[in-house]
């Protein structure tokens, strides 16, 4: 039987998309190459723009009860001087505090809801290629040679996307020569100027860069610690070996701990090698199309716009993609707008926000990177500005889509 929407990838984009489509009465099936969802990277930070989407999809209360809720993070000098605060959410201003939740918990919450709604998730099924695309459907193939038909095929298959190859056969993600090394450690023993850690902190040490601290688990009893380092690109095996060498990773975390003060010294003494992560930062250049010419193949999430981590917006932006896509596909199916117009509006709207996130990343990098790594930003003439995050956290996506649909309907009446 043909699928209405075949989603490739059961990462956070694919799972959330299935839920958003289900809410719009659009039937989807998820196909995931692995035997179970991939649990990488410990915990993730969610900001009000994404939490509003998760609320609309009926899972926010569970997310709130399972994650660590907080409103701001502080940028401090090593001597404790407050340099700046950075809002990650605000119940009062945006309706939601920020939330730091384990990826596996977020996946479990969405996956359980999908299962309860009867959305099929097929594990161990690897997409390989599009066989045929017409104006009405797309036929695609799995690694086992089996062919499937769908009205739409959505690539939610991550930064190294295979679906993207159908739109961009030669594109390879660009490595930024930076990687984040993180560890999860118990919060209680760590001290910052004699005080316990109760909120996320970024300690800036002139010349050395930043040491990041972020409580996690609902009671904040565990915290992430992290640093970035320059590194040349490795192949898959190289990254696996780099990540497996926990002794070197711990050594890196402990290096220069004095330069970041008490919290770095105390926290890096309690690293459990099993609780470490390596995140090499790859980016995708701005793409001029997120859909094929016949609009039956679409990419979203990291496949369309992998974003460097500075503003912590990777997953948040993916949730925006899927929610707005589902609203627009429903409008197009309802005959209110043409699919091609809906997809063009979707990409414009989303890409505009992704670009603003990339600018925000640069503002954060200006504050966090050591002097010798700021040359790129200096060459671009990026000047330091005050943070204004209202555009990021406060939009009403549903109203924006409804207004656009209305405006198009009026034009064509
Ligand atoms: C260590 C680490 C830590 C991170 N921490 C954060 C963070 O704190 N905050 C944040 O916002 N972002 C973070 N990110 C980035 C974040 O993980 C991505 O932005 C996010 O996962 C993108 O979701 P996605 O669903 O688009 O892609 P992915 O999560 O990559 O999911 C893609 C899915 O598609 C499947 N797939 C791939 N190819 C195929 C195929 N051919 N057929 C079928 N299935 C396929 C994969 O197995 C996978 O399950 C982190 C990344 C890493 C690596």
């Amino acid at each position: 039987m043909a699928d209405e929407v075949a989603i490739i990838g059961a990462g956070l984009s694919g799972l959330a998309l299935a839920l958003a489509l289900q809410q719009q009465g659009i039937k989807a099936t998820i196909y995931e190459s692995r035997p179970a969802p991939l649990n990488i990277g410990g915990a993730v930070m969610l900001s009000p723009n994404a939490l509003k989407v998760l609320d609309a999809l009926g899972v926010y209360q569970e997310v709130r009860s399972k994650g660590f809720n907080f409103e701001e993070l502080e940028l401090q000098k090593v001597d404790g001087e407050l340099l700046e605060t950075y809002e990650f959410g605000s119940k009062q201003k945006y309706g939601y505090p920020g939330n730091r939740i384990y990826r596996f918990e977020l996946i479990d919450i969405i996956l359980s809801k999908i299962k309860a709604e009867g959305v099929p998730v097929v594990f161990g099924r690897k997409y390989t290629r599009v066989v045929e695309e017409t104006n009405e459907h797309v036929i695609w193939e799995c690694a086992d040679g089996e062919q499937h038909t769908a009205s739409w095929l959505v690539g939610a298959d991550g930064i190294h996307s295979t679906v993207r190859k159908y739109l961009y056969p030669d594109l390879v993600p660009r490595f930024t020569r930076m990687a984040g090394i993180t560890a999860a450690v118990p919060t209680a023993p760590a001290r910052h100027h004699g005080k316990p850690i109760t909120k996320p902190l970024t300690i800036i040490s002139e010349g050395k860069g930043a040491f990041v601290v972020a409580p996690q688990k609902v009671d904040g009893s565990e915290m992430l610690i992290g640093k970035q380092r320059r590194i040349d690109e490795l192949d898959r095996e190289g990254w696996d070996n780099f990540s497996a060498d926990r002794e070197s990773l711990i050594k890196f975390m402990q290096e220069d701990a004095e330069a970041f003060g008490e919290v770095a010294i105390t926290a890096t003494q309690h690293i459990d090698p099993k609780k470490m992560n390596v995140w090499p930062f790859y980016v995708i250049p701005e793409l001029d199309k997120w859909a094929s010419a016949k609009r039956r193949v679409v990419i979203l999430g990291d496949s369309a716009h992998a974003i460097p981590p500075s503003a912590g917006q990777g997953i948040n932006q993916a949730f925006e993609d899927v929610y707005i896509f589902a609203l627009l596909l429903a409008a197009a199916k309802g005959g209110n707008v043409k699919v091609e117009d809906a997809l063009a509006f979707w990409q414009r709207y989303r890409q505009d926000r992704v670009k603003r996130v990339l600018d925000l990343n640069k503002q954060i990098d200006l504050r966090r990177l050591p002097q010798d790594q700021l040359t790129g930003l200096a060459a671009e003439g990026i000047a330091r500005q005050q943070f204004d995050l209202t555009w990021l956290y406060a939009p009403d996506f549903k109203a924006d889509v409804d207004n656009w649909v209305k405006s198009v309907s009026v034009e064509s009446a």
Side-chain angles (χ1 to χ4, degrees):
M1 204 182 72
D3 288 314
E4 197 165 6
V5 178
I7 301 172
I8 307 301
L12 284 167
S13 302
L15 293 169
L17 176 62
L19 196 51
L21 290 171
Q22 172 75 9
Q23 193 179 60
Q24 296 303 320
I26 299 172
K27 295 258 165 275
T29 303
I30 304 182
Y31 298 89
E32 164 60 49
S33 57
R34 294 171 191 272
L38 179 63
N39 172 27
I40 41 158
V44 297
M45 302 245 239
L46 300 174
S47 50
N49 45 326
L51 293 168
K52 187 180 284 184
V53 167
L54 294 178
D55 207 2
L57 298 181
V59 291
Y60 173 63
Q61 289 310 328
E62 214 176 330
V63 169
R64 193 181 62 86
S65 70
K66 295 215 163 124
F68 177 74
N69 297 284
F70 66 100
E71 300 230 324
E72 59 186 28
L73 56 90
E74 290 189 352
L75 279 82
Q76 291 190 6
K77 278 193 185 169
V78 183
D79 64 8
E81 183 191 333
L82 177 66
L83 291 168
E84 235 167 334
T85 53
Y86 180 87
E87 267 183 332
F88 215 86
S90 162
K91 173 104 179 80
Q92 196 201 351
K93 277 166 79 177
Y94 312 115
Y96 306 88
N99 185 285
R100 185 165 170 79
I101 183 167
Y102 265 99
R103 187 189 295 256
F104 78 88
E105 284 190 311
L106 187 54
I107 286 175
D108 269 2
I109 292 169
I110 304 178
L111 189 58
S112 309
K113 177 102 172 142
I114 287 172
K115 284 191 175 155
E117 305 265 346
V119 177
V121 186
V122 185
F123 289 104
R125 197 63 56 87
K126 184 174 183 180
Y127 161 94
T128 50
R129 68 181 183 115
V130 168
V131 177
E132 177 190 79
E133 184 187 9
T134 70
N135 288 326
E136 280 78 39
H137 67 252
V138 51
I139 300 175
W140 61 277
E141 195 168 87
C142 299
D144 58 11
E146 203 174 276
Q147 296 194 350
H148 298 256
T149 303
S151 300
W152 283 278
L153 174 76
V154 179
D157 52 343
I159 186 154
H160 301 289
S161 168
T162 312
V163 178
R164 189 178 56 226
K165 287 194 195 310
Y166 180 62
L167 307 182
Y168 294 94
D170 301 322
L171 189 142
V172 277
R174 182 176 65 81
F175 183 54
T176 59
R177 296 194 59 230
M178 292 293 281
I181 319 292
T182 64
V185 297
T187 307
R191 285 286 178 278
H192 183 54
H193 295 284
K195 295 199 192 110
I197 309 295
T198 54
K199 60 164 86 161
L201 279 179
T202 297
I203 316 276
I204 313 276
S205 169
E206 226 160 279
K208 299 281 182 197
F211 188 91
V212 174
V213 178
Q216 52 203 27
K217 290 201 168 156
V218 69
D219 56 359
S221 59
E222 186 176 274
M223 64 182 197
L224 167 130
I225 53 173
K227 285 201 303 186
Q228 294 188 7
R229 60 161 288 184
R230 278 223 170 275
I231 181 168
D232 287 330
E233 187 169 13
L234 300 169
D235 58 16
R236 182 177 282 223
E237 197 189 337
W239 283 122
D240 287 346
N241 292 339
F242 179 79
S243 179
D245 184 358
R246 296 294 152 109
E247 208 177 303
S248 300
L249 296 181
I250 293 175
K251 202 160 149 233
F252 169 73
M253 292 302 293
Q254 290 170 341
E255 248 166 47
D256 296 326
E258 296 78 27
F260 295 103
E262 190 184 0
V263 65
I265 297 167
T266 49
T268 54
Q269 286 165 9
H270 300 275
I271 296 178
D272 175 348
K274 292 194 287 305
K275 293 189 169 182
M276 297 195 81
N277 268 301
V278 173
W279 180 5
F281 303 149
Y282 282 86
V283 288
I284 301 288
E286 184 181 335
L287 301 179
D288 57 8
K289 54 179 191 281
W290 290 359
S292 58
K294 294 191 172 115
R295 297 356 181 259
R296 295 284 146 186
V297 181
V298 174
I299 51 172
L300 47 68
D302 265 19
S303 170
H305 55 67
I307 298 172
S310 316
Q313 278 294 315
I315 287 167
N316 296 284
Q317 291 303 302
F319 284 148
E320 289 190 22
D321 283 357
V322 304
Y323 180 59
I324 299 168
F325 175 80
L327 292 175
L328 285 162
L329 192 60
K333 275 197 67 195
N336 297 332
V337 290
K338 289 190 196 140
V339 172
E340 57 266 37
D341 292 341
L343 289 179
F345 170 73
W346 172 65
Q347 183 171 342
R348 267 199 318 276
Y349 183 100
R350 289 293 311 119
Q351 216 151 25
D352 177 54
R353 287 178 60 76
V354 169
K355 270 191 215 155
R356 295 184 77 174
V357 168
L358 294 174
D359 288 342
L360 177 62
N361 273 353
K362 289 178 187 164
Q363 284 298 321
I364 294 171
D365 289 345
L366 271 182
R367 290 149 167 91
R368 290 207 312 209
L369 288 181
Q371 204 58 38
D372 62 327
Q373 288 171 28
L374 288 172
T375 42
L377 296 176
E380 283 182 63
I382 309 283
R384 191 169 161 142
Q385 288 163 354
Q386 288 259 308
F387 292 125
D388 171 15
L389 298 164
T390 312
W391 68 269
L392 181 58
Y393 299 152
D396 185 335
F397 304 121
K398 173 93 171 63
D400 290 347
V401 168
D402 288 347
N403 288 337
W404 176 77
V405 171
K406 250 187 247 151
S407 72
V408 179
S409 315
V410 169
E411 271 169 34
S412 57

